Each structure stands twice: as structure tokens, then as C-alpha cells.
Amino acid sequence: MDMKSVESKWQAKWEKNKQNVFNKKNADKKWYVLEMFSYPSAANLHVGHWYNYGPTDSYARFKKMQGYEVFQPMGFDSFGLPAENYAIKTGVHPQDSTEKNIATMERQLRNMGAMFDWSAEIITSHEDYYKWTQWLFLQLYKKGLAYRKEALVNWCPSCETVLANEQVIDNKCERCSSQVLRKDMTQWFFKITDYAEELLDDLDTIDWPEKTKLMQKNWIGKSTGCEINFECETGDTITVFTTRPDTVFGVNYIVIAPEHPLVEKLKEAHPEKAEEIEAYVLYAASANDIDRLSTGREKTGVFSGAYATHPLTGKQVPVYLADYVLYSYGTGAVMAVAAHDERDFEFAKKYNLPITQVIQKQGGETVLPFTEDGILVNSGSFDGLFGDEARDAIALHLSKIGKGCKKVNYRLRDWSVSRQRYWGAPIPVVHCEKCGVVPVPEKDLPVKLPYDVEFRPTGKSPLAGHEGFMNCTCPKCGANAKRDPDTLDTFVCSSWYYLRYPESNNEKQAFSKEIADKMLPVDVYVGGSEHACMHLLYARFITKALRDMGYISFSEPFKRLVHQGIILGPDGNRMSKSRGNVVSPDKYVGEYGSDIFRLYLMFGFSYTEGGPWNDDGIKSIAKFVDRVERLVRKSTELPANKAELGKAEKELDYVKNYAVKNITRDVEMFSFNTSLARLMEYVNALQKYDNEVAEKNGAFYKACVEDLIRMLAPFAPHLSEELWEIVGKKTSVFEEDYPVCNEAALVKAETEYAVQVNSKIKTKMMIAEGLSDEEVIELVKANSDVAPLLEGKSIKKAIVVKGRLVNLIVG
RNA sequence: GCCGAAGUGGUGGAAUGGCAGACGCGACGGACUCAAAAUCCGUUGUUGGUGACAACGUGUGGGUUCAAGUCCCACCUUCGGCACCA
């Protein structure tokens, strides 16, 4: 069969019949299947796209044949850094390259033959989409969930530009190799931390991979502890957060992060140290968080010259700056208990600070640093208390004397959404000298991204240099004002797109409550696990925020989540141009067509695992397809005669129903390789029983072949349509129901049991269904292979696993 | 470093704590053919044995269990993420 022409024939028919367009009349039977949309890169569709979209489309088609009204949209996450970098390098405008890439990818995606509803397409860099991204920003602002604060960015002093983490290699700028610095800048943030607790709790309500939920849980990083106040000699209060208030009597020193605001005051208080402190702050600015938190890294720090007063003992403890404390976590200051914390211990050793043991191991020798729970010693009236009891007592005491309180802390940080870049959605606020920050009125959206912008680095955000864009009037007072020169993080665009799809053409609003509540949550969301902590958390946050603003009624955007694996290069490494191991799907699609390539992707890999590319099996899929075609064509030549169903028919029926049952279960689990294995078994059976059955019972055989086509349809959509036509049908096979297992066909009189003696397999036996355990044991004991092994021995225990195995323990 | 995974024949991969290797690829043998291709039928974890069969076998080392690829502990290797790649 010429797959190319078959594929274009059916794609054209589907298009003409609007077969893949969601039918709103059937919305009560909706099934929203969503694949993470892609970034439009310059290259053709990647194996990864095919691997994500092909099998998921088979899942979607399967649900359609189960009677669901499937909504499977597609779009492009088209703002972002790569287009801008490409523009800086080549001079091609990001909009031009992006549009070109989208056109190519769209064409290729159409050729895949997936049932994407293209009428719902969205492109995040188009005005009609980013207008609503800006609207979303304004809603968050109104609700107090968007605010400005200073935050650190990677700054290349030579390029005079902010660098993405990706552009920083070994602390050097990837373009010019200058040392990268961390610089403070005023940026917009979304207050995702307000939702930390709910984001954590609601993980229990969604059907997501456990590992993903665990990663989010750890990312949110809830810890219960205590804030404790130390009075600094400068007159300021240093508040520390600790999960171990039980160790408070062992505090040897205080450490503040080099970015802590108190640093300035400390320099004033101890001018003799100012130079040293400044040098250290500069040094700390050159390291990233990962390095700073690494326990394997040599600890560094500097004494500020100042002391703080211990709230319980009144002792003076030195205040240090050290970069192993992050300003972004907790209060940016810790109480260091060298005896009971590994990093503090290491630091104290290095700087010859005292180490005071205040916890003793229960029953056993205490080796420092001892970080487990233990019995308090050297802790005044708290001596003898243990673990939680000690923590509670000390926290209570601290709050009584006004020196501290219990506190829940999260590792999660607020979401920084400002980007000093061109290719993104402009932030819809105006800065007025008189009125300050003024949001752009909704009726004035979109704040259009101008085309004629100098996007090469100049030391400022690219938009800052565009006067036509920057100069505006204050919506409040009418005076001259300036727009915000920054654009939004692309994660903002992708944090709400699932809401837009069902109403991509709605010009009046981002989405309507009525339709959103009907169409969402997404029933199955499919995408890579690399998004576990960021995109997937942002989307959950935005959903909750919109719910609280009354725009929607549900709390979670994605009811179920599936991660596809990653297809690696043939060498087992991640595909990359620099490694030269990129596999192009074009070659295979050109040679075999979309159906065969998709079948191979489903059959050759475990969907959620992925693995190194290898095309050994692709030919065999082509052979399989040929076999199916021959079998179908041959069946059309048979007379439709009927005869009584014999043993052969029953066996064939068994294999068919077994396949149907397993495929139905496995597709639901995205286990496509085993689904196809069962389908192959059925094809093998059809072929094996071919002559015997077909000749005397043509009607039966034809019905079996029709079921085969129905069963194959979600996996090889074009081929199945063609075969359906070959057997004389005038309608689309996707209007058919997926076959349902007839359980009666699977009932067998006897089952094979594995027989073990002392847990070793000795023989196998066919045993009738419905016997009691005792009857089964008697049959096994009487078996000619088993009986000699039991001679002169007694049975100490007998285990019967119904329908599977018998194990006799003898001695 | 921290968080999260993965490791099974020559190979891709199957196995609700219950017969390890389903279904394929490859290899080997056979049928068809002048021959080849295609197709069809067998065999195929390793070792020993003519054989029935036996022993061993799921990254490494321990453990729990009548029974462990699966559960627990420790370790090794590889992969994903670590907040401005998306």
C-alpha cells in the first residue's frame, strides 16, 4: 500500500468532514486530552515531538471510539529566549523567524495525522493571545498577587545584559566569557507562596505520577519550626528561622546571607571590617545557589565584627556573613549550632569557633556533629527533654518572653516574572512620576509589542530604547508617563493556555466561566517530567488564583498527568546538535509514512521510559502492516457463509477478547507497547486459523477482521480508514465503537497451575476451575511428578494461589 | 551537593510479591525458488548433559518472605530537575 497517498487522502477527508473539530453539542461527554504545546524551533519536528504527540493521539482516538467527545487542541508557545538569541546572532527578527517556524511545524503536525482540532489553535506571541496574558497579569495585580521587589539577576558587565542561567557557563558569560555577577534589580513577582499550603494539600486530589507529586512536595518544601530573635549590637533584631529550636542553647554564632540588608549597618558599625565585608559580598555574588548549598563545597565566610545577644542565655555570639546561607530562604539568617548541624560544624572547625554540645544520643555515644533527635543537655531547665517535646517547650517559652514564635516555612519562592528582554508579552503597567505604578486599563489591552526594536544588548531592556513604546500618558492622571520596559516570563503564557483553547476565538474575554467549567479540568495532560516543578506548579497556582477571583469553579487544571519518556540519541546521550546524535524523523516518515513511524514509536519503547533510538524494529512494523493488509484483502474474497462455531472459532474468539480486554486496560495506562503486542497476537491467531475457519465460516471470519480494523484504528488511523473502505464500509472507522470484551469468551474449564515443592517449580498441571484449595492440593499430591517427591515426608504447609500456583513445603 | 527516577537475554522491551524474559528485532535451522528477495514453519537466557534433567540467572552486597525483578537497608552507574532554556 502506498502509505503516502493513503495518508493524504484521509487527512483531506478528515479536514473536509471537520471530523476532528470538537462538537460543542456533545460537551457533556467531553474528554479533554492535552499535550504540552511546543516551542517553535527552527528545525523540523523532532523525534521528541512525534513521541509526545503520536502515541497521545492514539490515546485520544481510543477515547473517541469509546464514545467520548474528544477535544485535542494544539498550539505554540512562541515567545522566548531562543528566537531572540537567534535574532541577535543573525539579525532575523524574532517575529519573522517564529512565524516561519510555526508554519513549518504546523504543516508537519498536520502530516502526522493526529486528530488535533486546528480550529482551536493558539499562538502565544499573537496579539489575540498575549492580550489575555496581560489581562491575567492585571487580575493578579488587582488581587494583590503581583508585586515588585528587588531580586538578583545574572549580569554580564561586558555585554551589559541580564543572562539566563542557561547562558552562564562556569560563572562566565557564554558569549564573551566575562565573569558573571549577581545584580539586584526591581522585578515583578507573583505571590505563589500565598498558595503554598493549598498547592501542597491538593496534590492528594489529583491523579498524577507519585514521583511528580513528591518532587512538587519537596519543591514547596514545607518545614515547621521556629523564628527566634537575636538582638544585634547595632540595635537591629536578627530573626533566624530554625527547624531545631531544641538546639538553641548550642548557638555558637549567627550567620547572615551576604545579601542581607543588615550588612550595610554592620559595615557602619565596624568600619575596620568594611573592606573585608565588601570583598566577601562581591565574592559571594559570583556563585550560584546550587554551588552555595552544596555540602561538598568548602565553606567560606567573614566575621562582621559585631555580636548579637542570645535570647535565652544572654551570651554574646559573633555575627558572620557566609554564602551557605541564602537570602531567599527563611529569613536569610540562621543560628549556627556547630555541634548539631553539618555545615555549621564544618564552618566552626574552619574558623576555630567554639562547638557546644546540647543534644545527647539516646542510648549510645554521641559523635559530633550529631544531627538526629536526642536528649537535651546544657540547656538549663530544658535538660532531659527529647525531640518534639523539647522543641515545643522551647518555642513556647520563647514566645512567652517575646523572643520568638512557631513558624511554618516554605522553600518555595515567589515567581519572578519580569524579563529584561524583547520577545515576550509586555508587562501592562505604566510608571507615572505622580501616581507611581498604574495598571493599564483592560480596555486598552493589548499593550502591543512593537516590531521595530533594537533587540541587541544595550545595557537596558530592549523595549526601554523604543520611545514610541515607552512614552505614554498615565491612565490615572493623564500626565506623561513611561511603560514598563520588561516582558513577562514565557511561563506566564503557558500557565493558562489550557483555559484558552476551548475559546481560542473569543474576542470578548480570555475565557468564559460557563465554558471553562464545562471543559475543564483537562482530563489527561501529557508532557515531559522536566516540567514537574515549574510549569506544572505555575499552572496549578494560576488556576487557584483565578478560582479565588471567581473566574472558574475548579481548583486543579489537570486531573490526570502522564509523562512521556525521552528518546535519546543512538549513543544513549540526549540528542543535541553539538553531539551530532540528532535523529530526524523525516527520513522514516518519508520512507514508511506516519502510521508506521507512530506504530514503531509505540511498540519499540516503554512510553514513560523512552530510551536510546534504534531503528532495528521499524521494518518489522512495516511487515506487520503488510500482513494485516493481506489478511484484510483476503477476507473480502470469502463468501459470507455461516456454520456452527467450532473449537477453532472459539480459540480465535478467546484471543480476540483477551486482546480487547488488555488493550483497553493498557491504552488507559499509556502502555502502548503491550497493547500492540496483544494486537499482534490477535493478528497471528487470525493468520493461524485462517484456512480452517475462513472457508467454512466466512461470515464469522469477516466479522473478526472487521473487529481487527476497529482495534487497530487508534494506533494506525490512516491505514485503518483505508482498510475499512476496503472491506466495503462507507463511513469513517472512527465512528465505530471500540470492541468491548465479551468476558464469557474468556472463561475456560481448566487453568494451568505451576506446581512447586519447597518453592521450586517441579511441574505444571491443568486444574479445573472452581475447586476448593483442599481439592487442588489433593490433585497436586496425586500428580505423578509430585508424588515421588513427597514419599516419606510430611507436608508442613501448602500454599494455593487461585489460578496460578501451588507450593508444597515438605520436610 | 540537594530532590526525583532508572538499571532485566545478543537487542527493544514484558511481568496486581506467585512459572523471569510476553510481543518484536537479530541469529540459527527448514519449506518454497534455478537462485535471490519476499513469504511461511521451527529453535533460540547461560552453563553442564546425547537425553530426561540439573545448576545458575533481573547493576553490587545484605535482609524480610513459603515465594523477591517487584518490599526494606547500604552502595555503584546513568538520566531528569534545582527557580531567567522551555
Side-chain angles (χ1 to χ4, degrees):
Chain A
M1 199 184 284
D2 173 13
M3 290 308 292
K4 278 270 132 182
S5 62
V6 167
E7 284 170 10
S8 37
K9 168 181 163 186
W10 290 102
Q11 281 166 20
K13 283 204 182 191
W14 294 336
E15 177 91 41
K16 189 171 153 240
N17 300 340
K18 297 199 185 309
Q19 193 160 327
N20 300 333
V21 174
F22 181 78
N23 183 352
K24 290 194 172 78
K25 281 186 199 140
N26 298 334
D28 49 337
K29 285 190 292 178
K30 70 93 188 179
W31 197 260
Y32 191 168
V33 178
L34 184 62
E35 291 110 305
M36 289 181 186
F37 60 172
S38 35
Y39 181 82
S41 60
N44 288 347
L45 283 195
H46 190 261
V47 180
H49 293 118
W50 280 86
Y51 192 64
N52 184 187
Y53 301 149
T56 305
D57 178 59
S58 292
Y59 169 81
R61 289 179 180 276
F62 180 82
K63 295 309 279 187
K64 184 181 172 76
M65 291 182 77
Q66 280 192 328
Y68 291 96
E69 183 62 30
V70 171
F71 180 50
Q72 188 185 216
M74 182 47 70
F76 295 93
D77 189 14
S78 45
F79 273 137
L81 188 63
E84 191 160 342
N85 283 341
Y86 182 73
I88 293 167
K89 223 162 88 184
T90 65
V92 179
H93 194 283
Q95 186 175 319
D96 299 343
S97 61
T98 300
E99 289 301 324
K100 193 171 154 239
N101 294 345
I102 287 175
T104 310
M105 283 181 84
E106 204 186 289
R107 196 185 63 239
Q108 294 188 321
L109 282 166
R110 284 174 188 271
N111 289 342
M112 189 182 276
M115 51 182 296
F116 295 130
D117 182 349
W118 287 104
S119 72
E121 182 182 17
I122 53 180
I123 294 170
T124 61
S125 60
H126 285 187
E127 266 176 52
D128 59 2
Y129 185 86
Y130 75 67
K131 171 179 178 179
W132 302 113
T133 304
Q134 292 172 337
W135 171 88
L136 174 69
F137 178 94
L138 294 177
Q139 306 317 304
L140 293 165
Y141 180 78
K142 251 198 280 184
K143 180 81 178 161
L145 290 170
Y147 68 99
R148 297 216 300 168
K149 71 170 178 185
E150 295 266 304
L152 295 174
V153 294
N154 300 312
W155 179 255
C156 174
S158 147
C159 301
E160 295 198 291
T161 183
V162 175
L163 298 178
N165 288 340
E166 190 191 48
Q167 299 172 293
V168 182
I169 319 267
D170 285 337
N171 266 311
K172 303 224 165 66
C173 171
E174 77 171 352
R175 273 200 284 266
C176 69
S177 297
S178 315
Q179 183 81 35
V180 172
L181 295 176
R182 270 81 202 158
K183 184 176 150 180
D184 252 334
M185 266 193 179
T186 304
Q187 318 226 50
W188 285 98
F189 280 81
F190 287 166
K191 241 183 194 167
I192 190 172
T193 51
D194 273 11
Y195 286 84
E197 192 65 36
E198 198 193 337
L199 287 166
L200 191 62
D201 290 345
D202 283 357
L203 287 173
D204 292 336
T205 68
I206 46 184
D207 181 13
W208 285 23
E210 283 307 316
K211 65 160 189 168
T212 312
K213 293 205 234 177
L214 190 55
M215 276 191 273
Q216 285 210 351
K217 186 182 166 207
N218 291 334
W219 185 264
I220 296 167
K222 179 179 182 175
S223 55
T224 335
C226 201
E227 275 186 0
I228 303 178
N229 299 328
F230 288 74
E231 296 310 321
C232 185
E233 63 173 62
T234 57
D236 297 278
T237 301
I238 303 177
T239 303
V240 302
F241 173 78
T242 178
T243 57
R244 294 296 303 272
D246 54 326
T247 63
V248 70
F249 284 87
V251 173
N252 303 107
Y253 56 103
I254 299 290
V255 189
I256 63 173
E259 300 84 8
H260 200 287
L262 188 63
V263 169
E264 284 309 311
K265 289 236 185 151
L266 292 172
K267 282 196 300 198
E268 282 166 27
H270 291 273
E272 78 283 3
K273 289 277 184 186
E275 204 175 315
E276 211 183 329
I277 291 174
E278 252 163 54
Y280 187 72
V281 169
L282 200 63
Y283 161 82
S286 71
N288 62 40
D289 288 3
I290 295 177
D291 289 341
R292 284 172 61 167
L293 284 175
S294 167
T295 46
R297 182 165 174 262
E298 166 110 30
K299 299 285 161 297
T300 59
V302 63
F303 178 41
S304 69
Y307 287 83
T309 310
H310 192 289
L312 297 180
T313 64
K315 263 195 230 161
Q316 295 298 298
V317 291
V319 177
Y320 275 75
L321 276 68
D323 67 1
Y324 74 90
V325 173
L326 297 183
Y327 184 56
S328 56
Y329 180 77
T331 59
V334 302
M335 58 177 217
V337 184
H340 305 293
D341 180 277
E342 303 208 4
R343 283 180 301 191
D344 298 345
F345 183 80
E346 205 187 311
F347 191 87
K349 282 265 180 196
K350 180 170 170 184
Y351 292 99
N352 284 315
L353 291 157
I355 295 171
T356 314
Q357 186 190 336
V358 291
I359 307 277
Q360 214 165 51
K361 188 169 179 172
Q362 206 172 27
E365 201 186 329
T366 314
V367 181
L368 299 184
F370 178 72
T371 58
E372 294 156 43
D373 280 0
I375 301 156
L376 268 59
V377 293
N378 301 323
S379 298
S381 59
F382 300 98
D383 280 1
L385 294 179
F386 180 90
D388 283 337
E389 196 188 0
R391 285 188 279 272
D392 284 346
I394 288 176
L396 184 68
H397 179 70
L398 282 166
S399 66
K400 267 189 194 155
I401 61 170
K403 295 284 187 186
C405 60
K406 274 200 174 181
K407 172 92 183 178
V408 172
N409 193 58
Y410 299 93
R411 206 188 70 100
L412 181 69
R413 310 206 291 252
D414 278 338
W415 173 14
S416 148
V417 296
S418 296
R419 296 292 180 271
Q420 293 70 44
R421 302 190 194 286
Y422 167 63
W423 192 232
I427 295 177
V429 299
V430 165
H431 300 277
C432 169
E433 272 186 29
K434 210 171 93 193
C435 313
V437 171
V438 182
V440 172
E442 285 176 29
K443 66 172 172 53
D444 295 341
L445 294 181
V447 174
K448 287 192 191 176
L449 184 67
Y451 183 88
D452 54 335
V453 166
E454 175 55 72
F455 35 78
R456 279 171 274 264
T458 57
K460 286 185 287 187
S461 289
L463 289 175
H466 190 286
E467 299 211 347
F469 173 83
M470 288 302 288
N471 295 322
C472 62
T473 51
C474 172
K476 222 175 187 174
C477 71
N480 287 342
K482 296 275 183 197
R483 295 200 182 277
D484 196 299
D486 289 354
T487 52
L488 289 168
D489 177 13
T490 53
F491 276 127
V492 179
C493 306
S494 58
S495 68
W496 73 283
Y497 75 116
Y498 45 90
L499 287 162
R500 182 66 181 172
Y501 272 131
E503 294 175 86
S504 56
N505 302 313
N506 190 335
E507 287 172 15
K508 301 226 164 64
Q509 49 189 337
F511 53 85
S512 66
K513 186 164 197 276
E514 188 202 350
I515 292 179
D517 282 350
K518 194 153 211 169
M519 292 301 291
L520 286 124
V522 169
D523 293 284
V524 183
Y525 191 37
V526 184
S529 62
E530 67 272 19
H531 293 289
C533 293
M534 303 185 70
H535 163 63
L536 287 166
L537 197 63
Y538 296 148
R540 294 183 61 216
F541 155 62
I542 292 296
T543 297
K544 289 173 192 304
L546 287 170
R547 175 206 59 197
D548 288 346
M549 292 183 260
Y551 290 112
I552 49 180
S553 308
F554 52 94
S555 297
E556 286 289 339
F558 315 122
K559 201 189 281 179
R560 183 175 169 209
L561 173 70
V562 174
H563 294 307
Q564 85 275 20
I566 300 170
I567 303 294
L568 304 170
D571 56 359
N573 290 304
R574 210 184 170 114
M575 288 189 203
S576 73
K577 271 189 208 154
S578 57
R579 279 205 185 88
N581 62 350
V582 177
V583 173
S584 162
D586 302 358
K587 175 177 119 187
Y588 300 103
V589 177
E591 188 175 348
Y592 298 101
S594 158
D595 275 3
I596 287 173
F597 189 61
R598 286 174 53 175
L599 281 169
Y600 177 61
L601 289 174
M602 284 188 273
F603 185 66
F605 303 86
S606 163
Y607 190 64
T608 53
E609 298 294 322
W613 176 256
N614 142 11
D615 59 11
D616 287 351
I618 195 159
K619 273 204 194 89
S620 69
I621 293 290
K623 275 199 252 175
F624 169 73
V625 166
D626 278 347
R627 249 170 56 217
V628 171
E629 187 192 345
R630 279 200 302 275
L631 200 141
V632 171
R633 286 193 191 278
K634 210 170 147 193
S635 78
T636 61
E637 290 158 16
L638 290 171
N641 54 344
K642 282 184 187 169
E644 208 178 319
L645 302 185
K647 186 165 172 273
E649 287 86 346
K650 284 199 177 124
E651 280 178 31
L652 183 54
D653 202 39
Y654 179 90
V655 176
K656 181 177 85 184
N657 281 287
Y658 181 80
V660 166
K661 183 177 181 164
N662 282 282
I663 291 169
T664 303
R665 187 197 60 193
D666 290 356
V667 167
E668 205 59 63
M669 299 190 306
F670 281 66
S671 178
F672 300 107
N673 53 353
T674 53
S675 299
L676 288 174
R678 301 292 87 78
L679 199 60
M680 286 173 178
E681 282 168 354
Y682 180 46
V683 170
N684 289 344
L686 275 169
Q687 211 162 8
K688 188 173 164 194
Y689 290 104
D690 187 355
N691 295 327
E692 214 178 323
V693 174
E695 278 167 27
K696 65 172 189 210
N697 219 334
F700 173 81
Y701 194 78
K702 280 166 182 267
C704 283
V705 167
E706 284 181 14
D707 275 339
L708 170 66
I709 302 171
R710 289 190 188 92
M711 286 159 76
L712 179 67
F715 307 104
H718 309 89
L719 172 75
S720 303
E721 289 278 41
E722 186 70 13
L723 295 175
W724 197 239
E725 193 177 76
I726 287 171
V727 299
K729 307 291 183 181
K730 304 283 179 233
T731 52
S732 166
V733 69
F734 293 102
E735 288 170 28
E736 296 291 310
D737 288 339
Y738 205 81
V740 174
C741 173
N742 170 20
E743 289 288 343
L746 296 180
V747 175
K748 281 190 160 181
E750 297 186 309
T751 324
E752 188 181 68
Y753 277 68
V755 177
Q756 299 181 330
V757 175
N758 286 340
S759 305
K760 293 224 168 197
I761 291 282
K762 290 299 169 190
T763 189
K764 290 175 185 181
M765 284 176 71
M766 294 305 291
I767 296 178
E769 289 283 333
L771 299 183
S772 70
D773 286 2
E774 289 70 26
E775 287 169 317
V776 170
I777 291 165
E778 286 312 310
L779 279 172
V780 168
K781 274 156 69 179
N783 180 281
S784 60
D785 289 326
V786 178
L789 299 166
L790 304 179
E791 258 170 57
K793 291 176 180 162
S794 62
I795 295 176
K796 294 184 169 157
K797 195 172 175 181
I799 293 127
V800 179
V801 182
K802 271 262 176 301
R804 286 183 181 272
L805 155 151
V806 177
N807 188 5
L808 301 178
I809 308 301
V810 303

